[in-house]
Amino acid sequence: MSRKADTSAGRPAGFTSTHGIGLTGVLRLAQALGLAPRRVVLVGIEAARLDPGAGLSPAVVAGNGTLWTVRSSTGAMVSVDYAHDSLHVASVHSSVVGRGDDVELSVVDGAPAVLDKTRSVYFSAPGGVPGPAITLPGTIGHAAAVAPTVTGPVVPLAATGKVVLLDHDQASVVALNGRSGHRFGAPAAFAGRVFVPDLTAGNVVVLNDSGQQVGTPIGVANGAAPQLSVATQNGALFINDPATSTAYSVTASGFTHRIAKNNPN
């Protein structure tokens, strides 16, 4: 393992990560503590980018457990399976995006889907085979955000001050009143509604499938909340901002419940 300088932070990356100790040191430490497992499986990962500040390579797990990603050097979709204690490339499909395109992957109804921000298009790709592409209006796709997992007929995307609702092959742009220029996080579709985290205002706007605002926004923070997020899990929607002591859950019937993060109950 190598030690890589993090020039953006002004200090070696090993100061804030396990890169400073190395694989051999980790194994010897585990042996000295009597915690070494009988068997160690090493999984090698080829990094797509190593420059400081680079984001994670896009990858999603489809409903059948297959890991999907896009190979940036070719634009091809790649499926990866886990078998016999190792990862292996199961199949490489033809190019679905341009080389080096900025893409974001999601899972829609159990199948992988691709948001190509460079070309401002969105399409589903069941089994790695791209379906018809939906062209997003203007340059909205360049800065759009999509939830990792979407269930239902409507796929919501969020851009600055706007929300895009994708329904089959149609894209409808919804401009939220009084929020022009606001930054939005990835929205979530849940129980016939769309929940949009407003990172600028620190609250969550609720829309119906037609893009009309319903009820009052769910207040989370007093002011900007750059890490505010929404996610669906186990039949409920969860709202969280790591900087606050309270999270929220929303039921399918629309009931909002406050959750004290430090409360064991």
Side-chain angles (χ1 to χ4, degrees):
M1 298 178 70
S2 62
R3 182 167 176 151
K4 178 174 175 289
D6 185 352
T7 55
S8 64
R11 59 184 184 276
F15 283 19
T16 56
S17 74
T18 56
H19 289 176
I21 186 172
L23 176 61
T24 303
V26 170
L27 295 177
R28 288 179 177 174
L29 177 61
Q31 291 172 345
L33 296 175
L35 300 175
R38 293 182 179 181
R39 185 180 182 215
V40 177
V41 178
L42 301 180
V43 179
I45 300 175
E46 179 185 358
R49 295 179 61 184
L50 294 173
D51 50 306
L56 297 175
S57 301
V60 293
V61 177
N64 62 359
T66 300
L67 175 72
W68 288 94
T69 186
V70 172
R71 184 172 290 172
S72 61
S73 60
T74 62
M77 287 200 73
V78 179
S79 62
V80 181
D81 288 338
Y82 181 82
H84 306 296
D85 295 329
S86 64
L87 291 169
H88 69 282
V89 175
S91 59
V92 179
H93 298 261
S94 59
S95 298
V96 295
V97 298
R99 293 183 180 182
D101 281 6
D102 182 10
V103 300
E104 190 169 340
L105 271 67
S106 59
V107 174
V108 178
D109 291 332
V114 180
L115 168 62
D116 188 335
K117 297 184 178 182
T118 303
R119 304 186 183 208
S120 199
V121 297
Y122 183 89
F123 57 87
S124 61
V129 180
I134 301 176
T135 300
L136 304 179
T139 59
I140 285 179
H142 298 346
V146 61
T149 304
V150 180
T151 301
V154 176
V155 177
L157 308 179
T160 301
K162 297 181 176 65
V163 173
V164 182
L165 302 180
L166 305 179
D167 190 356
H168 297 94
D169 60 347
Q170 299 294 323
S172 302
V173 180
V174 179
L176 302 186
N177 293 334
R179 298 175 188 266
S180 176
H182 284 209
R183 292 182 56 244
F184 297 146
F190 175 69
R193 288 159 290 170
V194 175
F195 295 79
V196 185
D198 187 331
L199 311 185
T200 302
N203 56 30
V204 175
V205 183
V206 185
L207 311 175
N208 59 23
D209 285 347
S210 300
Q212 298 173 326
Q213 184 170 335
V214 294
T216 58
I218 302 172
V220 180
N222 295 320
Q227 299 184 74
L228 178 61
S229 64
V230 295
T232 57
Q233 185 176 2
N234 298 329
L237 178 124
F238 294 91
I239 303 170
N240 183 49
D241 175 20
T244 64
S245 60
T246 303
Y248 297 84
S249 66
V250 181
T251 65
S253 61
F255 177 76
T256 302
H257 177 66
R258 292 170 59 99
I259 304 173
K261 297 179 183 179
N262 297 324
N263 186 351
N265 298 320

